[in-house]
Amino acid sequence: MQNSETTLVTMPDIQQAEHVLHEVFGFEEFRSLQKDIIENVLQKKDTLAIMPTGGGKSLCYQIPALIFDGLSIVVSPLISLMKDQVDQLTAYGVSASYLNSSLSPQDYEATLDLIRRNKLDLLYLAPETLLKGNVLNLLSGLNVECVAIDEAHCISEWGHDFRPEYRQLSEVTGRFEHAVSLGLTATATPRVQKDIAHSLGLTDANTFVASFNRKNLYLDVVTKSSPLQQTINFLRRHESESGIIYCFSRKQVDQLTQDLNANGFNALPYHAGLGEADRTQNQNAFIRDEVDIIVATIAFGMGIDKPDVRFVVHHDMPQNIESYYQQIGRAGRDGLQADCLFLFSYGDAAKIRYFINQKEEEEQRVAEQHLQKLMGYVEAHQCRRIKLLEYFGEHFNEPNCGMCDFCTGDTPEREKITIPVQKFLSTMVRTEQRFGYNHILNILLGSRRKEVLKFNHDKLSTYGIGKEFSRPEWKQVYSELMKQDIIVREIEHKSLKLTPKAKEILKGDQEVFGVIEEPVHKEQSKSSAKSDIESLDFNRELFSRLKEKRMDLARKQGIPPFIIFGDTTLIEMSYYYPQSAESLLKIHGVGRAKAKKYGDDFLGVIKSFCKEKDLNERSKSDTSKKTTLVKKTLSKDSRPFQVGQMFRGGKKVAEIASEIGVKEGTVVGYISKFVKAGHSIPTENILEASGLSAEEMDKVRKAFDEHGHELLRPVFDALDEEIPYDKLRVVQLYLMVQDSA
């Protein structure tokens, strides 16, 4: 590493890498697979790395670049991202630059001069720039030690973002004889992975596939009923936080932006219909925290490296799982929790299917398969991560992820709906399966509409027998029938037909379970998972002052605030109150270069605040983390209240689960809500529900002592992911009850 501020002594490669991780970037340890990939690259072995967005791909080439003597090249199609990456590296004291079409002739030539004089560790290039004769000839005469090809899925025709110029890269990389090749991508199905390896000449490369599971993303699918009100309700739980809302069309983007601003939110639009200058201005305003919300079509997001995006809302349905995964991947890159809300309607699915039908036959077939996979995700009555990760060839075996609406009990409890289903199916039989949903519903509700009277359907035995449910509730019954393949819709005439399953139900040989609940009620009563920022017991007032200092410095330097320090760093400062340069270096994300450049500014704010409030510095080994429970009232008719009363009355978790027909983990979740609402419960029967051995319990208690019990993920990670979330949640409940006693 010839140009950065940290000089390495002679030591084994991986020790050098760990030294750079601590001293330059200020991180305590590598994330999953980073160490293995970096070690492979340092040994000059060609490498293919598939890691999810936010998984730390950049460090896999940045750290080797600081250890190699020569130049490392990074090829990326994301021009907007290059400047941010270079600005971040410069803030860490690393010598880096970029070449692309956004540079003025003078800046372009200045960068070429730095390259000629061997003044760079890292050079970022767009693929078309690398393919230029003068640039390629210049680089061919230098000691290029690593060629990293980011967004490598762009080389595959089977990928979601194919770029023809990527196909030429394998010919180019061969000109750097002594360079190791590293292909990186965040989204690649097994088929695309093979295509990348073949097309880049990496068939003999070591391949590393990290889990596609973004543990810090809370996944929530809600039936779309009143989309503007649902969006506003969600945003009010994320006040002053950064987020992206995706819409289907430019018109919807503009309308929703106007509506949100009229309701007091700070939003800007982004779509291809805006001029380039307006798009750039709006994007920069978002990156620099001058606006909280971007309302966008899918044109927005590629190349956005803003780590503190706290939410992504799909106001309309994306076209496939890959697009959905990539878009939610723009949230929570700093590792803190982010919420992903998907407003789903069958109307949106029909709209997408209409556009699919305009395609050529083969394209239609592929697009329909993609849509069906996405429908399988939103309609599943199981953990959201199972279907999502399955698409990428990964099996998710955790009994409870703890971070989706299904696993946290935020989806309505399924109940027996056999009788209303039989009423609906019987009406279909009595009308000879010749009619659609609305006609069947009008019969059940006893409507006097002319179509009902015309066919004498007011004389049927099922006429008016469905008045106990509202139209929205019957729509839920219909949705369940479609989801569970009990009925199908005939395409040409739109009539409903029975499947073999329906006949078993009509005979009484099969029960049906599902949800009958008006969607708007769910949204009004639903409590979103709290983000880490809301849950951790750090000082909010100090955090706010540090953010103001960060914004002030960012404006003066003309850079995004996160380049100075991320929210994770400010949160730790607001908890530990570091008072010296030495203590500051122990804070996550504070390397020596940043401590030198910004340390006095932030220490000044912290010292002044601590003096004003009479606060002392905390050691990072301090285990006295406490949290104040947020009390939330419960209706006496609610399932959590009823379950809490059953447990309080002496019933065990397993007994309650069996009695009401849910998993034990769901019962524990209900009891937790009961306790958070301020109700007391006995502690003696709680721990036995965990099923942990004495040895396991000892390890778990120590992990909770070290990390606190506000969040389960740090405890889960500390236990090497060996103790399932369901078991940890039981111990968490026990500790919560003890704290509230």
Side-chain angles (χ1 to χ4, degrees):
M1 179 172 55
Q2 52 200 9
N3 300 304
S4 63
E5 293 190 5
T6 300
T7 302
L8 296 173
V9 296
T10 301
M11 60 177 73
D13 284 348
I14 199 59
Q15 286 186 26
Q16 291 186 54
E18 289 171 343
H19 181 78
V20 171
L21 182 75
H22 304 321
E23 295 295 309
V24 178
F25 296 100
F27 301 144
E28 293 179 13
E29 57 188 18
F30 287 112
R31 294 192 200 176
S32 174
L33 287 188
Q34 278 181 330
K35 187 174 182 179
D36 296 332
I37 293 168
I38 289 170
E39 190 167 25
N40 204 64
V41 172
L42 290 174
Q43 292 172 5
K44 289 293 185 79
K45 295 176 181 176
D46 287 346
T47 308
L48 178 59
I50 292 91
M51 302 174 75
T53 302
K57 293 190 301 295
S58 300
L59 284 182
C60 293
Y61 53 78
Q62 289 172 349
I63 287 180
L66 301 186
I67 296 173
F68 288 142
D69 292 328
L71 177 68
S72 290
I73 295 171
V74 183
V75 182
S76 172
L78 308 177
I79 289 175
S80 59
L81 181 58
M82 290 184 192
K83 185 177 186 302
D84 286 349
Q85 291 243 351
V86 168
D87 285 345
Q88 287 190 59
L89 288 167
T90 302
Y92 281 120
V94 176
S95 178
S97 191
Y98 60 92
L99 281 178
N100 61 44
S101 57
S102 71
L103 290 175
S104 67
Q106 295 83 356
D107 289 339
Y108 199 95
E109 190 55 45
T111 301
L112 287 176
D113 185 57
L114 288 173
I115 297 169
R116 291 187 192 101
R117 294 190 291 120
N118 294 317
K119 292 294 183 181
L120 296 178
D121 288 319
L122 270 157
L123 175 66
Y124 287 78
L125 296 160
E128 57 272 17
T129 304
L130 178 58
L131 294 169
K132 287 182 179 178
N134 64 322
V135 175
L136 190 54
N137 289 334
L138 171 60
L139 294 173
S140 297
L142 300 176
N143 178 24
V144 176
E145 297 218 47
C146 178
V147 178
I149 299 169
D150 205 0
E151 309 297 336
H153 61 269
C154 294
I155 204 169
S156 173
E157 292 185 45
W158 299 104
H160 61 277
D161 196 24
F162 173 59
R163 309 212 177 192
E165 63 270 20
Y166 258 61
R167 285 285 186 184
Q168 302 174 53
L169 292 178
S170 60
E171 301 168 18
V172 171
T173 55
R175 296 181 62 165
F176 305 112
E177 295 179 15
H178 303 294
V180 60
S181 291
L182 169 61
L184 305 109
T185 182
T187 53
T189 61
R191 183 178 194 175
V192 173
Q193 291 171 30
K194 289 180 183 176
D195 199 21
I196 292 170
H198 175 73
S199 302
L200 284 178
L202 297 176
T203 49
D204 294 327
N206 289 333
T207 300
F208 298 86
V209 182
S211 172
F212 283 87
N213 184 19
R214 292 286 307 283
K215 296 178 183 178
N216 62 317
L217 299 186
Y218 183 89
L219 307 177
D220 191 9
V221 179
V222 174
T223 300
K224 184 193 284 191
S225 54
S226 304
L228 177 59
Q229 190 59 56
Q230 288 172 303
T231 302
I232 287 172
N233 290 347
F234 177 84
L235 294 178
R236 283 177 178 155
R237 299 197 294 269
H238 292 272
E239 189 177 351
S240 300
E241 294 180 346
S242 291
I244 306 168
I245 303 175
Y246 284 104
C247 294
F248 189 78
S249 68
R250 301 174 188 180
K251 183 179 178 181
Q252 286 168 302
V253 166
D254 291 334
Q255 184 62 56
L256 183 57
T257 303
Q258 289 176 20
D259 290 341
L260 293 180
N261 286 324
N263 280 277
F265 296 99
N266 188 10
L268 284 174
Y270 188 104
H271 56 69
L274 296 172
E276 186 175 346
D278 288 337
R279 287 201 307 272
T280 302
Q281 183 178 336
N282 290 357
Q283 178 171 297
N284 287 340
F286 179 65
I287 290 172
R288 296 182 179 186
D289 289 346
E290 294 163 8
V291 65
D292 295 329
I293 302 162
I294 282 285
V295 184
T297 58
I298 57 171
F300 182 79
M302 284 296 285
I304 299 301
D305 193 27
K306 183 175 169 59
D308 59 345
V309 174
R310 294 269 69 83
F311 62 86
V312 168
V313 176
H314 279 89
H315 184 270
D316 300 309
M317 189 173 179
Q319 295 193 33
N320 52 60
I321 285 187
E322 258 176 278
S323 297
Y324 172 70
Y325 182 83
Q326 189 180 65
Q327 288 157 14
I328 63 173
R330 285 155 198 161
R333 294 188 181 195
D334 54 8
L336 298 178
Q337 183 175 308
D339 290 350
C340 304
L341 175 66
F342 186 150
L343 297 178
F344 169 72
S345 79
Y346 285 97
D348 283 353
K351 193 186 302 181
I352 291 172
R353 192 164 275 123
Y354 170 80
F355 287 105
I356 288 174
N357 290 337
Q358 313 307 309
K359 298 176 182 287
E360 296 295 327
E361 187 175 343
E362 178 59 23
E363 288 183 43
Q364 263 191 50
R365 188 181 62 80
V366 173
E368 180 62 33
Q369 286 176 350
H370 284 157
L371 179 58
Q372 288 302 321
K373 292 282 188 184
L374 183 60
M375 294 292 285
Y377 167 73
V378 299
E379 292 179 341
H381 288 295
Q382 60 185 162
C383 173
R384 299 289 174 198
R385 281 169 166 77
I386 293 174
K387 288 287 186 184
L388 185 62
L389 300 181
E390 183 182 273
Y391 179 83
F392 296 103
E394 181 176 343
H395 297 288
F396 186 74
N397 298 318
E398 285 294 325
N400 189 311
C401 78
M403 284 291 286
C404 77
D405 53 348
F406 184 84
C407 290
T408 57
D410 280 338
T411 53
E413 190 69 31
R414 298 181 79 202
E415 56 187 297
K416 191 184 293 184
I417 60 171
T418 308
I419 291 175
V421 164
Q422 286 174 331
K423 290 180 180 181
F424 195 99
L425 299 179
S426 294
T427 307
M428 285 176 58
V429 171
R430 283 164 174 74
T431 55
E432 300 176 338
Q433 302 179 57
R434 292 172 49 214
F435 297 88
Y437 163 73
N438 286 316
H439 190 80
I440 301 296
L441 179 57
N442 286 333
I443 295 170
L444 287 166
L445 293 177
S447 169
R448 303 293 296 171
R449 293 185 183 182
K450 63 180 181 180
E451 284 295 307
V452 175
L453 302 178
K454 173 184 172 183
F455 292 101
N456 292 319
H457 287 163
D458 55 328
K459 306 292 192 295
L460 294 176
S461 60
T462 57
Y463 180 76
I465 65 169
K467 291 180 180 178
E468 75 273 26
F469 293 136
S470 66
R471 284 183 178 270
E473 287 171 327
W474 272 114
K475 188 65 179 281
Q476 291 292 94
V477 174
Y478 171 64
S479 295
E480 291 290 347
L481 290 168
M482 294 290 285
K483 284 180 194 177
Q484 298 185 40
D485 197 31
I486 295 167
I487 62 174
V488 293
R489 190 169 176 234
E490 200 266 328
I491 295 173
E492 187 176 353
H493 301 292
K494 316 297 184 191
S495 58
L496 301 178
K497 305 293 183 187
L498 303 176
T499 70
K501 281 187 183 178
K503 293 165 186 174
E504 295 297 310
I505 295 164
L506 283 170
K507 287 191 294 184
D509 293 339
Q510 186 174 321
E511 299 280 13
V512 186
F513 292 84
V515 174
I516 303 180
E517 182 180 285
E518 293 192 37
V520 67
H521 293 167
K522 174 189 174 182
E523 183 59 28
Q524 288 170 349
S525 65
K526 180 183 176 298
S527 61
S528 70
K530 286 189 172 295
S531 70
D532 287 2
I533 289 176
E534 293 172 309
S535 300
L536 288 178
D537 190 24
F538 62 92
N539 193 300
R540 266 63 172 179
E541 187 179 349
L542 176 56
F543 180 71
S544 179
R545 292 192 193 183
L546 292 173
K547 283 184 74 173
E548 287 175 14
K549 171 58 69 176
R550 181 177 67 178
M551 179 61 86
D552 181 51
L553 292 170
R555 282 179 178 149
K556 288 176 181 175
Q557 296 176 46
I559 59 174
F562 65 79
I563 284 178
I564 295 174
F565 287 124
D567 281 359
T568 314
T569 304
L570 300 191
I571 285 172
E572 284 208 1
M573 289 180 183
S574 304
Y575 181 79
Y576 292 110
Y577 312 129
Q579 305 283 303
S580 65
E582 183 182 358
S583 298
L584 192 66
L585 281 169
K586 295 177 182 176
I587 299 296
H588 174 89
V590 181
R592 292 200 176 276
K594 285 195 176 184
K596 182 178 178 182
K597 189 171 185 178
Y598 302 116
D600 289 344
D601 291 302
F602 285 88
L603 284 173
V605 173
I606 296 167
K607 287 177 179 177
S608 173
F609 182 84
C610 289
K611 184 176 181 181
E612 177 188 331
K613 305 291 184 181
D614 194 25
L615 296 169
N616 295 318
E617 179 178 325
R618 285 173 169 162
S619 165
K620 278 204 78 171
S621 60
D622 187 351
T623 60
S624 61
K625 296 180 185 177
K626 292 283 180 184
T627 186
T628 302
L629 289 177
V630 179
K631 292 186 178 179
K632 185 174 180 180
T633 58
L634 289 175
S635 161
K636 291 186 178 180
D637 295 328
S638 69
R639 183 59 66 86
F641 185 86
Q642 293 169 352
V643 167
Q645 292 285 35
M646 291 167 77
F647 187 81
R648 187 192 254 175
K651 289 194 175 181
K652 296 183 179 180
V653 169
E655 292 174 327
I656 298 172
S658 176
E659 185 172 328
I660 66 174
V662 299
K663 296 177 181 177
E664 290 186 24
T666 303
V667 172
V668 172
Y670 287 148
I671 298 172
S672 295
K673 289 180 181 179
F674 185 74
V675 172
K676 287 177 181 177
H679 303 288
S680 61
I681 60 170
T683 58
E684 51 266 24
N685 292 333
I686 297 176
L687 287 180
E688 71 176 67
S690 72
L692 293 171
S693 67
E695 185 182 356
E696 287 174 325
M697 183 64 75
D698 186 52
K699 288 180 182 177
V700 170
R701 292 295 295 271
K702 285 177 181 175
F704 273 113
D705 285 345
E706 183 178 349
H707 297 279
H709 60 73
E710 299 88 355
L711 298 170
L712 288 181
R713 202 185 82 185
V715 177
F716 183 66
D717 290 343
L719 294 165
D720 297 323
E721 305 183 0
E722 290 177 357
I723 307 294
Y725 274 109
D726 273 356
K727 294 179 182 290
L728 295 179
R729 195 166 280 105
V730 175
V731 182
Q732 181 189 43
L733 172 61
Y734 176 79
L735 296 173
M736 188 192 305
V737 174
Q738 281 197 321
D739 268 8
S740 61

